[in-house]
Amino acid sequence: MASRAEPATEAAGRRDWRDVARDAADLALLGILLTLAAAPLLTAAAASGAASAAVHDWTRTGTWPSARATVRRFGRLVLPGVPVSLLTLAVAGLLAVDLAALATGRVPGGAPALLVTALVAAGLAGYAGLVVVEVGGNGGGRWRAAARSAARACLDAPARWAALAGVTALAALLAVLVTPVAVPILAGYTVAALHAVAGRWPAPTGVELP
């Protein structure tokens, strides 16, 4: 991936459409690599953590980590990330089944229950998105610490939580609407959007954010 760093004397005003296109291509490539690495499902957490750490480095320094550093980081995260992947898949699967059952009328509750379940799913997705951001800030690991920090941040800054939930909901909608071949590209943009939205709010007192 190309670097977007520029000399300090040449500020962002020198950036033009070629820089934007390069950034877009970098994020598309990140999404494709993220999808390939997460394809076995049990490696989904490790892939997400490594991708988030790469985006964190890029947004902070203007340069992407080397391929060797990212592969080494991913390999280090595979085993610790297996329980996280299993938990995430289980929760997502249960919510999907519940939403499908409510939408088709196979279980009672109707529109109100469907709305409440959808809001719960969006809230959990927003929280998960912040966990991914937190993990990226600590180098792609320490999931428990990231989960605790994200929980405190969501409670202390509900607007941040709602915004992240909106990002994940929009990403899910786009994943349904776009052609399947574009979904991996969307993954890279989603990780970048989560970092961008999370970074717009100052860290509340006592909460460690990347």
Side-chain angles (χ1 to χ4, degrees):
M1 296 180 182
S3 166
R4 66 177 184 134
E6 296 182 1
T9 56
E10 298 181 12
R14 290 293 304 274
R15 289 172 56 78
D16 57 19
W17 66 269
R18 289 167 295 186
D19 300 299
V20 175
R22 184 175 65 238
D23 291 347
D26 287 345
L27 291 174
L29 177 58
L30 176 73
I32 293 171
L33 295 176
L34 166 59
T35 303
L36 291 175
L41 297 184
L42 292 181
T43 59
S48 299
S52 181
V55 171
H56 175 82
D57 293 346
W58 177 63
T59 56
R60 295 305 188 276
T61 68
T63 58
W64 293 98
S66 67
R68 177 179 298 181
T70 300
V71 170
R72 185 167 58 246
R73 180 181 281 160
F74 170 75
R76 188 177 68 248
L77 298 175
V78 170
L79 288 180
V82 169
V84 180
S85 299
L86 289 173
L87 177 61
T88 303
L89 291 171
V91 172
L94 288 173
L95 285 172
V97 170
D98 195 15
L99 286 170
L102 287 169
T104 56
R106 293 199 300 269
V107 296
L114 179 61
L115 177 60
V116 170
T117 305
L119 290 175
V120 170
L124 288 175
Y127 166 70
L130 186 53
V131 172
V132 170
V133 173
E134 294 278 354
V135 165
N138 64 40
R142 304 205 303 272
W143 285 96
R144 288 185 181 179
R148 290 193 297 267
S149 181
R152 292 194 301 269
C154 286
L155 294 176
D156 290 339
R160 178 205 298 266
W161 188 5
L164 291 168
V167 170
T168 57
L170 178 60
L173 176 62
L174 291 176
V176 173
L177 296 178
V178 301
T179 179
V181 72
V183 172
I185 297 175
L186 179 63
Y189 292 132
T190 301
V191 176
L194 290 172
H195 277 265
V197 171
R200 291 183 64 86
W201 274 265
T205 303
V207 177
E208 179 184 355
L209 292 173

